[in-house]
Structure formats: C-alpha cells, structure tokens
Amino acid sequence: MFPTEILLEALLNGLMTGAIYALIALGLTLVYGVLHIINFAHGALLTCAMFLVWGGFALVGLDPYVALLPVVPLMFALGYGVQRWVIGPASHGEDNNILLVTLGLSIILENALLAVFRSDTRTLQTDYAFDVVPVGPLLLSTPRLIGAAATLVVTGLLWLLLNRTDTGRAIRAVAHEKLGAQLVGIDVRHIYAVTFGIGTACLGVVACLLMPIFYVNPRSGGVFVLVAFTIVVLGGMGSVPGALLGGLLIGVVESYSALYFGDSLGQLGIFVIFILVLLFRPSGLFGARA
Amino acid sequence: MLEITGLRAGYGGTEVLRGIDMQVAAGEVVAVLGANGVGKTTLNKVISGVVPARAGEVRFDGRRIDRAPAASIVAAGLVHVPEGRKIFPQMSVRENLELGSYRRARTRRSSNIERVFTIFPRLRERTRQAAGTLSGGEQQMLAIGRGLMAEPRLLILDEPSLGLSPLLVEEMFILVRRLSAEGLTVMLVEQNVVQSLEIAHRAYIIENGAVALYGTAAELLAGPEVKRAYLGL
C-alpha cells in the first residue's frame, strides 16, 4: 500500500490531467452532439494548435499562456472555415462522407506538419515549467493547476454561451430539430461552422495549457484524442457534463493505474473502463438512450 | 402579398409540384386543401426556402424569394409553422419562444412573449417545462406561438389540426379566425376541408401537385365538385 499523501497526490494529479482531457473531449462531444459527426481531424487540429503555440514561442518568444489571446481566435477561425468551406461542401450532407472527409483532413494535416517540422519532438522551455504549489503536505505542479483552473473557466463560459445566448440556443436547437431551426431563421450551415469553430477553439485553449508541460510532434495530438474519444463514449456521446466528468474520471483512473501498474501501463486502466462501459452501459454515463 | 407562378419542385427523380399557381393577398385567410401526399407540405417547404424550386417563381411583396435562403425569408416576415410542429423538444417552452424571434422582432422579444402567453395561457403555466414533454395540443400552441414571435406578415400554418382532439381542432380554427381579425395574413394548409372553408376567404384545392380547383370559400362550399369529392355528399 502507498501512504495517504501519495494516493492523494495521485488523485489530484489525475484530476488535473483529466481536466485537460475533458476540454479536448468537450470539443469532440459538442461537434458530435450538434453535427452528428465523429470528427477524426480533432487530433490533427490539436497538433496544429500545439505547433502554433510552439511557433509563437520559438519565433517571437510568446509565452504559451499569453498565446491564448491569438491562438484561440485563430483556431476558431480555422475550425469555422474548415467546416463551412471544406467539410460541409465536400460531404454533400451524407454522414458517411463527413467521416471520410474528416479522416482525410487529419491525414493531410498530419503529413503537412510532418513535411514542415519533420518527426522531431519539440518542447518549449519556460522558467515556470517545474514550479510547484505546496498544498498542505502535497506539492502540485503549477502549470497543471493552471490548466485545471482554466478548464473549469472554459467549461463555465461554454455553459453560459450554450444556455444564455441566442447563438448557444441556436446551436442546441440545430442539434435536435434542424427543420424547426431553419424555419425560425437559423442559418444551419453557419451554426454548424460556429459549433465546429468552438470545438477547435477548445483545442486552442488545450494547446496553450499543454505546451508548458508537454512536447509536440506531428502525431502528439492523436495521443490525447484517443483518450478523448474514450471519454466521449464514457460520458455519453454529445453530453457536455458527461465529457467533463468523464474526463476527470479518466484522468484519475490513468493516474492510479500508473501508480499501481507503472507509467507505461497507465493507459491500460482507461481502455479496461472503456470496454466495460461498452459492455454494460453503451449509451454512456450521461448519454440519452438510443 | 404572395404570388406563386408555375412552381415545380420535387425530390430526386420524383416531381411533387407540377406547376402551381396561386396568390395570397394581404389580410386574407387562404386555405390550401387536398388529401395526403398531393404536395401541400412540399409547397410550404419550397415557399420557406427549405426545399429548392425547380422551375417557376415565388414572390413575396413583389420580391423573388425562390432562390433566397430560408433565414432571409423569415427575416422578410414570411413565417412557416410546419407540419409535425418541429419544436425544440429538449429546450424549455420559453427558450422555444425566444428562438422564434431569432431572426426577426428580437428587440420586442419580451413583449411578444407576453402576447403569446395571453393568447395561450396554458403555455405560461409551462414556461420552464421541456417542450418535448408537452401534450400534442400544447405543442401545437407552442409551434404557433413560436411563429408569432417573429411578428409574421404572412403566417403559413401546415396542418395545425393534425392529431388534435375534435375540441382542440375547433379551438385551433377559432384561433386562426382571431389572428386574422387582428390583421394577420394566413395561409392555412389543411386536410380538414369544411372547417377550413368556413374560416377562409379563398381556397385552392391541390390534386397531384397542381391546383385542381380554386375560388372563394363560399363558392367552393356551395359548388358540386367539392361536395362530391371532399364532403361525400
């Protein structure tokens, strides 16, 4: 058995990593819930955002947290444009096509990044990367703590957007009743693109939070998105609270399985849970029954 | 106000509308009647820009709208309350009404919500309830209320009496008459021939994607064709 402090620290570390996972899953589940598509390009778009943050730091010394200001709107614009002028027109309204278009997009993006940046792994050196905050007997990583706090703020903002603004109401309306939405004058293609843009803007936030503590190479987004897919299924496809709680849960599971089975097997626990959910509760913890 | 000439539309290889001509003048209640599957709902969808026209013209206030996006048609004041209501089931009654003014009359949202609640007091009692949990009659009220939120200049009602109890059907027709008396122009698309003709000024009878018969409601009610084909007399 491990002493209580270590167990507690593993719990908090898991929650902090889970918060980042949750934010990635949030974008994925929002796009699924509204556009009813599984966005295979989510990982590649996260990698793009991470390279943006890295590039800003390497070229002009832009601090990754300050980079939130340009990166988030840029990623929103990228997501909006990709959905409005690439995925939308290329898929002709067929869900199968959309699946293939997003898959193709991810292949193109990853290989473009590979061509430009090679497969080297890059990091950026900040002087606060290894800072810790003492909490009682525990030491918590400052960048991870910032990441978790930022995730909660972003989730809160997203909730306000979806429930308190006309654009948010339009997003929810389109998700469940497309014809009704068109007939009140909602421009469905615009709302689809806005939703996709919000999903990629979340990735922009994630990239800024991750870069102080993580590395980037042309495949690093995929590592996270695989876990995010698990969270989306666990939480219930399309469920925003499901993504948040699922993310935290998966973070904790990963942290404890790393503690008990060793770092390299940390993700084992995640996929055991994934399979159990698929077997016993295929609609997810918060999902509507099909 | 609404002029349709030679309108053709369909899905894939099937032509549903085979050259429709009709007009709705300001202040009128115009009934569009016909059996299931003659193209009434397709006609509404083409007018509101959801299904593209293949030929012909639709003009609203003289401006062509047959190539216009659905959102701009709503913005112009042509509002369509669809068959099957198409309310937002997981959203509250209030949110449904709020979205009714998404494109038009947004600044008068709260006063218009009050107005809808005055017309449909039942909705006021259910403000925070999810729309999908309302009864069929209440959902129809909500759909019409959502349409009224945009301050329509022409309101298209597609089968508002469908699936309602006879008592509620009666209420629905009284409501249409009342809205018309307040100055609203209404295009009422119905299978319920007698009750529609009783409140309409004029009517078109659609058969097989084209206008088979039209005239004032009184003429049609008295004429032999309607009696034979629709009233079973």
Side-chain angles (χ1 to χ4, degrees), chain B residues 121-157:
Chain B
R122 293 279 284 282
L123 294 182
R124 191 195 297 276
E125 299 160 21
R126 309 227 182 301
T127 326
R128 307 187 66 162
Q129 198 172 321
T133 64
L134 299 177
S135 73
E138 289 163 348
Q139 290 193 14
Q140 187 61 56
M141 293 174 195
L142 181 59
I144 296 176
R146 186 181 68 182
L148 293 175
M149 286 298 295
E151 300 183 354
R153 301 186 48 243
L154 168 61
L155 185 68
I156 300 181
L157 294 174

mmCIF file of all heavy atoms in Angstrom, chain B residues 121-157:
data_model
loop_
_atom_site.group_PDB
_atom_site.id
_atom_site.type_symbol
_atom_site.label_atom_id
_atom_site.label_comp_id
_atom_site.label_asym_id
_atom_site.label_seq_id
_atom_site.Cartn_x
_atom_site.Cartn_y
_atom_site.Cartn_z
ATOM 1 N N PRO B 121 -52.729 30.843 -22.576
ATOM 2 C CA PRO B 121 -52.402 30.865 -21.137
ATOM 3 C C PRO B 121 -51.781 29.546 -20.663
ATOM 4 O O PRO B 121 -50.994 29.531 -19.722
ATOM 5 C CB PRO B 121 -53.761 31.098 -20.474
ATOM 6 C CG PRO B 121 -54.648 31.635 -21.544
ATOM 7 C CD PRO B 121 -54.153 31.079 -22.833
ATOM 8 N N ARG B 122 -52.109 28.448 -21.346
ATOM 9 C CA ARG B 122 -51.537 27.155 -20.955
ATOM 10 C C ARG B 122 -50.016 27.171 -21.021
ATOM 11 O O ARG B 122 -49.346 26.513 -20.233
ATOM 12 C CB ARG B 122 -52.043 26.058 -21.900
ATOM 13 C CG ARG B 122 -53.503 25.783 -21.772
ATOM 14 C CD ARG B 122 -53.760 24.870 -20.577
ATOM 15 N NE ARG B 122 -53.391 23.510 -20.874
ATOM 16 C CZ ARG B 122 -54.144 22.687 -21.597
ATOM 17 N NH1 ARG B 122 -55.288 23.095 -22.090
ATOM 18 N NH2 ARG B 122 -53.749 21.456 -21.811
ATOM 19 N N LEU B 123 -49.461 27.907 -21.990
ATOM 20 C CA LEU B 123 -48.001 27.936 -22.140
ATOM 21 C C LEU B 123 -47.352 28.673 -20.969
ATOM 22 O O LEU B 123 -46.254 28.336 -20.548
ATOM 23 C CB LEU B 123 -47.602 28.589 -23.465
ATOM 24 C CG LEU B 123 -48.004 27.843 -24.730
ATOM 25 C CD1 LEU B 123 -47.493 28.588 -25.958
ATOM 26 C CD2 LEU B 123 -47.457 26.416 -24.734
ATOM 27 N N ARG B 124 -48.038 29.663 -20.439
ATOM 28 C CA ARG B 124 -47.468 30.426 -19.329
ATOM 29 C C ARG B 124 -47.237 29.507 -18.120
ATOM 30 O O ARG B 124 -46.247 29.633 -17.406
ATOM 31 C CB ARG B 124 -48.386 31.578 -18.949
ATOM 32 C CG ARG B 124 -47.743 32.569 -17.976
ATOM 33 C CD ARG B 124 -48.751 33.480 -17.332
ATOM 34 N NE ARG B 124 -49.455 34.348 -18.261
ATOM 35 C CZ ARG B 124 -48.981 35.518 -18.689
ATOM 36 N NH1 ARG B 124 -47.809 35.938 -18.281
ATOM 37 N NH2 ARG B 124 -49.674 36.251 -19.517
ATOM 38 N N GLU B 125 -48.168 28.552 -17.925
ATOM 39 C CA GLU B 125 -48.018 27.630 -16.801
ATOM 40 C C GLU B 125 -46.847 26.672 -17.007
ATOM 41 O O GLU B 125 -46.422 26.007 -16.090
ATOM 42 C CB GLU B 125 -49.295 26.794 -16.632
ATOM 43 C CG GLU B 125 -50.544 27.614 -16.344
ATOM 44 C CD GLU B 125 -51.811 26.829 -16.662
ATOM 45 O OE1 GLU B 125 -51.723 25.583 -16.705
ATOM 46 O OE2 GLU B 125 -52.854 27.465 -16.870
ATOM 47 N N ARG B 126 -46.374 26.560 -18.228
ATOM 48 C CA ARG B 126 -45.359 25.546 -18.533
ATOM 49 C C ARG B 126 -44.040 26.174 -18.998
ATOM 50 O O ARG B 126 -43.241 25.508 -19.643
ATOM 51 C CB ARG B 126 -45.872 24.644 -19.656
ATOM 52 C CG ARG B 126 -47.264 24.067 -19.414
ATOM 53 C CD ARG B 126 -47.280 22.601 -19.698
ATOM 54 N NE ARG B 126 -48.554 21.945 -19.550
ATOM 55 C CZ ARG B 126 -49.276 21.914 -18.433
ATOM 56 N NH1 ARG B 126 -48.883 22.581 -17.372
ATOM 57 N NH2 ARG B 126 -50.407 21.231 -18.395
ATOM 58 N N THR B 127 -43.816 27.448 -18.634
ATOM 59 C CA THR B 127 -42.655 28.187 -19.147
ATOM 60 C C THR B 127 -41.353 27.412 -19.112
ATOM 61 O O THR B 127 -40.585 27.424 -20.055
ATOM 62 C CB THR B 127 -42.436 29.474 -18.318
ATOM 63 O OG1 THR B 127 -43.702 29.945 -17.918
ATOM 64 C CG2 THR B 127 -41.725 30.517 -19.108
ATOM 65 N N ARG B 128 -41.102 26.724 -17.994
ATOM 66 C CA ARG B 128 -39.783 26.111 -17.811
ATOM 67 C C ARG B 128 -39.779 24.638 -18.166
ATOM 68 O O ARG B 128 -38.756 23.976 -18.055
ATOM 69 C CB ARG B 128 -39.335 26.300 -16.363
ATOM 70 C CG ARG B 128 -39.402 27.770 -15.945
ATOM 71 C CD ARG B 128 -38.817 27.983 -14.599
ATOM 72 N NE ARG B 128 -37.376 27.714 -14.624
ATOM 73 C CZ ARG B 128 -36.542 28.133 -13.701
ATOM 74 N NH1 ARG B 128 -36.987 28.823 -12.684
ATOM 75 N NH2 ARG B 128 -35.253 27.860 -13.769
ATOM 76 N N GLN B 129 -40.921 24.133 -18.559
ATOM 77 C CA GLN B 129 -41.011 22.706 -18.890
ATOM 78 C C GLN B 129 -40.364 22.448 -20.261
ATOM 79 O O GLN B 129 -40.427 23.286 -21.160
ATOM 80 C CB GLN B 129 -42.487 22.339 -18.937
ATOM 81 C CG GLN B 129 -42.761 20.861 -18.834
ATOM 82 C CD GLN B 129 -44.259 20.614 -18.681
ATOM 83 O OE1 GLN B 129 -44.960 21.353 -17.980
ATOM 84 N NE2 GLN B 129 -44.746 19.595 -19.350
ATOM 85 N N ALA B 130 -39.735 21.264 -20.405
ATOM 86 C CA ALA B 130 -39.156 20.916 -21.699
ATOM 87 C C ALA B 130 -40.286 20.726 -22.710
ATOM 88 O O ALA B 130 -41.291 20.074 -22.416
ATOM 89 C CB ALA B 130 -38.329 19.647 -21.590
ATOM 90 N N ALA B 131 -40.124 21.324 -23.885
ATOM 91 C CA ALA B 131 -41.202 21.332 -24.878
ATOM 92 C C ALA B 131 -41.625 19.919 -25.281
ATOM 93 O O ALA B 131 -42.792 19.667 -25.565
ATOM 94 C CB ALA B 131 -40.755 22.120 -26.106
ATOM 95 N N GLY B 132 -40.661 18.991 -25.283
ATOM 96 C CA GLY B 132 -40.971 17.627 -25.687
ATOM 97 C C GLY B 132 -41.926 16.918 -24.745
ATOM 98 O O GLY B 132 -42.517 15.896 -25.101
ATOM 99 N N THR B 133 -42.088 17.439 -23.520
ATOM 100 C CA THR B 133 -42.965 16.777 -22.557
ATOM 101 C C THR B 133 -44.385 17.358 -22.583
ATOM 102 O O THR B 133 -45.235 16.929 -21.812
ATOM 103 C CB THR B 133 -42.410 16.913 -21.125
ATOM 104 O OG1 THR B 133 -42.415 18.299 -20.769
ATOM 105 C CG2 THR B 133 -40.993 16.384 -21.026
ATOM 106 N N LEU B 134 -44.642 18.333 -23.449
ATOM 107 C CA LEU B 134 -45.987 18.911 -23.550
ATOM 108 C C LEU B 134 -46.917 17.944 -24.262
ATOM 109 O O LEU B 134 -46.488 17.059 -25.005
ATOM 110 C CB LEU B 134 -45.951 20.221 -24.341
ATOM 111 C CG LEU B 134 -45.103 21.377 -23.807
ATOM 112 C CD1 LEU B 134 -45.158 22.545 -24.780
ATOM 113 C CD2 LEU B 134 -45.583 21.806 -22.436
ATOM 114 N N SER B 135 -48.228 18.141 -24.053
ATOM 115 C CA SER B 135 -49.204 17.343 -24.794
ATOM 116 C C SER B 135 -49.224 17.814 -26.253
ATOM 117 O O SER B 135 -48.701 18.885 -26.577
ATOM 118 C CB SER B 135 -50.581 17.517 -24.184
ATOM 119 O OG SER B 135 -51.078 18.807 -24.498
ATOM 120 N N GLY B 136 -49.843 17.018 -27.118
ATOM 121 C CA GLY B 136 -49.886 17.363 -28.540
ATOM 122 C C GLY B 136 -50.480 18.737 -28.791
ATOM 123 O O GLY B 136 -49.954 19.531 -29.566
ATOM 124 N N GLY B 137 -51.594 19.033 -28.094
ATOM 125 C CA GLY B 137 -52.253 20.329 -28.277
ATOM 126 C C GLY B 137 -51.355 21.470 -27.823
ATOM 127 O O GLY B 137 -51.240 22.494 -28.503
ATOM 128 N N GLU B 138 -50.692 21.262 -26.678
ATOM 129 C CA GLU B 138 -49.796 22.309 -26.168
ATOM 130 C C GLU B 138 -48.613 22.520 -27.100
ATOM 131 O O GLU B 138 -48.158 23.643 -27.309
ATOM 132 C CB GLU B 138 -49.306 21.924 -24.767
ATOM 133 C CG GLU B 138 -50.382 22.008 -23.703
ATOM 134 C CD GLU B 138 -50.027 21.259 -22.423
ATOM 135 O OE1 GLU B 138 -49.044 20.473 -22.438
ATOM 136 O OE2 GLU B 138 -50.729 21.439 -21.432
ATOM 137 N N GLN B 139 -48.128 21.408 -27.672
ATOM 138 C CA GLN B 139 -47.004 21.541 -28.615
ATOM 139 C C GLN B 139 -47.420 22.346 -29.832
ATOM 140 O O GLN B 139 -46.652 23.143 -30.369
ATOM 141 C CB GLN B 139 -46.506 20.162 -29.061
ATOM 142 C CG GLN B 139 -45.809 19.416 -27.951
ATOM 143 C CD GLN B 139 -45.051 18.200 -28.434
ATOM 144 O OE1 GLN B 139 -44.821 18.018 -29.632
ATOM 145 N NE2 GLN B 139 -44.650 17.351 -27.516
ATOM 146 N N GLN B 140 -48.663 22.135 -30.283
ATOM 147 C CA GLN B 140 -49.140 22.893 -31.435
ATOM 148 C C GLN B 140 -49.257 24.377 -31.079
ATOM 149 O O GLN B 140 -48.892 25.242 -31.864
ATOM 150 C CB GLN B 140 -50.489 22.346 -31.913
ATOM 151 C CG GLN B 140 -50.977 22.974 -33.209
ATOM 152 C CD GLN B 140 -50.026 22.730 -34.367
ATOM 153 O OE1 GLN B 140 -49.691 21.599 -34.690
ATOM 154 N NE2 GLN B 140 -49.551 23.799 -34.994
ATOM 155 N N MET B 141 -49.740 24.653 -29.855
ATOM 156 C CA MET B 141 -49.813 26.049 -29.403
ATOM 157 C C MET B 141 -48.420 26.661 -29.394
ATOM 158 O O MET B 141 -48.229 27.805 -29.804
ATOM 159 C CB MET B 141 -50.386 26.125 -27.976
ATOM 160 C CG MET B 141 -51.835 25.722 -27.853
ATOM 161 S SD MET B 141 -52.279 25.694 -26.087
ATOM 162 C CE MET B 141 -53.816 24.775 -26.181
ATOM 163 N N LEU B 142 -47.453 25.868 -28.891
ATOM 164 C CA LEU B 142 -46.082 26.377 -28.806
ATOM 165 C C LEU B 142 -45.536 26.654 -30.209
ATOM 166 O O LEU B 142 -44.891 27.686 -30.434
ATOM 167 C CB LEU B 142 -45.191 25.373 -28.075
ATOM 168 C CG LEU B 142 -43.732 25.791 -27.906
ATOM 169 C CD1 LEU B 142 -43.610 27.101 -27.144
ATOM 170 C CD2 LEU B 142 -42.931 24.703 -27.198
ATOM 171 N N ALA B 143 -45.825 25.757 -31.141
ATOM 172 C CA ALA B 143 -45.326 25.948 -32.504
ATOM 173 C C ALA B 143 -45.901 27.234 -33.105
ATOM 174 O O ALA B 143 -45.180 28.014 -33.736
ATOM 175 C CB ALA B 143 -45.675 24.743 -33.368
ATOM 176 N N ILE B 144 -47.193 27.458 -32.891
ATOM 177 C CA ILE B 144 -47.801 28.678 -33.424
ATOM 178 C C ILE B 144 -47.258 29.898 -32.683
ATOM 179 O O ILE B 144 -46.913 30.918 -33.285
ATOM 180 C CB ILE B 144 -49.343 28.608 -33.331
ATOM 181 C CG1 ILE B 144 -49.858 27.476 -34.229
ATOM 182 C CG2 ILE B 144 -49.980 29.935 -33.728
ATOM 183 C CD1 ILE B 144 -51.350 27.242 -34.148
ATOM 184 N N GLY B 145 -47.131 29.752 -31.353
ATOM 185 C CA GLY B 145 -46.576 30.846 -30.556
ATOM 186 C C GLY B 145 -45.173 31.201 -31.021
ATOM 187 O O GLY B 145 -44.835 32.377 -31.163
ATOM 188 N N ARG B 146 -44.368 30.182 -31.300
ATOM 189 C CA ARG B 146 -43.005 30.429 -31.774
ATOM 190 C C ARG B 146 -43.038 31.172 -33.112
ATOM 191 O O ARG B 146 -42.245 32.079 -33.352
ATOM 192 C CB ARG B 146 -42.265 29.090 -31.922
ATOM 193 C CG ARG B 146 -40.807 29.235 -32.264
ATOM 194 C CD ARG B 146 -40.137 27.881 -32.416
ATOM 195 N NE ARG B 146 -40.611 27.156 -33.585
ATOM 196 C CZ ARG B 146 -40.215 25.940 -33.936
ATOM 197 N NH1 ARG B 146 -39.328 25.311 -33.190
ATOM 198 N NH2 ARG B 146 -40.693 25.351 -35.012
ATOM 199 N N GLY B 147 -43.996 30.796 -33.956
ATOM 200 C CA GLY B 147 -44.146 31.501 -35.233
ATOM 201 C C GLY B 147 -44.543 32.953 -35.027
ATOM 202 O O GLY B 147 -44.020 33.852 -35.692
ATOM 203 N N LEU B 148 -45.451 33.209 -34.070
ATOM 204 C CA LEU B 148 -45.917 34.576 -33.836
ATOM 205 C C LEU B 148 -44.822 35.467 -33.273
ATOM 206 O O LEU B 148 -44.850 36.685 -33.449
ATOM 207 C CB LEU B 148 -47.121 34.566 -32.880
ATOM 208 C CG LEU B 148 -48.401 33.935 -33.432
ATOM 209 C CD1 LEU B 148 -49.469 33.887 -32.344
ATOM 210 C CD2 LEU B 148 -48.906 34.707 -34.649
ATOM 211 N N MET B 149 -43.842 34.843 -32.600
ATOM 212 C CA MET B 149 -42.745 35.611 -32.005
ATOM 213 C C MET B 149 -41.973 36.425 -33.047
ATOM 214 O O MET B 149 -41.331 37.405 -32.712
ATOM 215 C CB MET B 149 -41.770 34.679 -31.282
ATOM 216 C CG MET B 149 -42.264 34.131 -29.967
ATOM 217 S SD MET B 149 -42.584 35.390 -28.751
ATOM 218 C CE MET B 149 -40.932 36.044 -28.472
ATOM 219 N N ALA B 150 -42.012 35.993 -34.305
ATOM 220 C CA ALA B 150 -41.277 36.704 -35.349
ATOM 221 C C ALA B 150 -42.124 37.826 -35.946
ATOM 222 O O ALA B 150 -41.718 38.435 -36.941
ATOM 223 C CB ALA B 150 -40.830 35.726 -36.444
ATOM 224 N N GLU B 151 -43.292 38.106 -35.365
ATOM 225 C CA GLU B 151 -44.204 39.110 -35.913
ATOM 226 C C GLU B 151 -44.393 38.896 -37.415
ATOM 227 O O GLU B 151 -44.058 39.755 -38.230
ATOM 228 C CB GLU B 151 -43.677 40.527 -35.650
ATOM 229 C CG GLU B 151 -43.530 40.818 -34.166
ATOM 230 C CD GLU B 151 -43.083 42.253 -33.884
ATOM 231 O OE1 GLU B 151 -42.777 42.972 -34.864
ATOM 232 O OE2 GLU B 151 -43.050 42.652 -32.715
ATOM 233 N N PRO B 152 -44.949 37.749 -37.782
ATOM 234 C CA PRO B 152 -45.053 37.429 -39.201
ATOM 235 C C PRO B 152 -45.973 38.406 -39.937
ATOM 236 O O PRO B 152 -46.905 38.945 -39.347
ATOM 237 C CB PRO B 152 -45.657 36.027 -39.204
ATOM 238 C CG PRO B 152 -46.330 35.878 -37.899
ATOM 239 C CD PRO B 152 -45.530 36.684 -36.932
ATOM 240 N N ARG B 153 -45.692 38.610 -41.207
ATOM 241 C CA ARG B 153 -46.596 39.371 -42.062
ATOM 242 C C ARG B 153 -47.478 38.381 -42.809
ATOM 243 O O ARG B 153 -48.609 38.675 -43.137
ATOM 244 C CB ARG B 153 -45.786 40.243 -43.015
ATOM 245 C CG ARG B 153 -44.888 41.205 -42.196
ATOM 246 C CD ARG B 153 -44.149 42.202 -43.043
ATOM 247 N NE ARG B 153 -45.053 42.825 -43.970
ATOM 248 C CZ ARG B 153 -44.945 42.701 -45.291
ATOM 249 N NH1 ARG B 153 -43.955 42.003 -45.807
ATOM 250 N NH2 ARG B 153 -45.803 43.273 -46.078
ATOM 251 N N LEU B 154 -46.900 37.211 -43.103
ATOM 252 C CA LEU B 154 -47.694 36.103 -43.640
ATOM 253 C C LEU B 154 -47.335 34.865 -42.835
ATOM 254 O O LEU B 154 -46.160 34.523 -42.703
ATOM 255 C CB LEU B 154 -47.357 35.876 -45.128
ATOM 256 C CG LEU B 154 -47.898 34.587 -45.752
ATOM 257 C CD1 LEU B 154 -49.419 34.539 -45.716
ATOM 258 C CD2 LEU B 154 -47.418 34.428 -47.183
ATOM 259 N N LEU B 155 -48.367 34.238 -42.281
ATOM 260 C CA LEU B 155 -48.134 33.043 -41.474
ATOM 261 C C LEU B 155 -48.659 31.831 -42.239
ATOM 262 O O LEU B 155 -49.825 31.795 -42.626
ATOM 263 C CB LEU B 155 -48.841 33.170 -40.117
ATOM 264 C CG LEU B 155 -48.579 32.043 -39.115
ATOM 265 C CD1 LEU B 155 -47.144 32.056 -38.625
ATOM 266 C CD2 LEU B 155 -49.535 32.147 -37.918
ATOM 267 N N ILE B 156 -47.782 30.864 -42.472
ATOM 268 C CA ILE B 156 -48.213 29.616 -43.093
ATOM 269 C C ILE B 156 -48.405 28.591 -41.989
ATOM 270 O O ILE B 156 -47.476 28.300 -41.237
ATOM 271 C CB ILE B 156 -47.158 29.094 -44.095
ATOM 272 C CG1 ILE B 156 -46.929 30.117 -45.200
ATOM 273 C CG2 ILE B 156 -47.600 27.758 -44.671
ATOM 274 C CD1 ILE B 156 -45.926 29.659 -46.248
ATOM 275 N N LEU B 157 -49.609 28.069 -41.890
ATOM 276 C CA LEU B 157 -49.878 27.033 -40.894
ATOM 277 C C LEU B 157 -50.087 25.722 -41.631
ATOM 278 O O LEU B 157 -51.024 25.577 -42.403
ATOM 279 C CB LEU B 157 -51.138 27.376 -40.096
ATOM 280 C CG LEU B 157 -51.066 28.607 -39.194
ATOM 281 C CD1 LEU B 157 -52.444 28.895 -38.599
ATOM 282 C CD2 LEU B 157 -50.060 28.372 -38.076
#
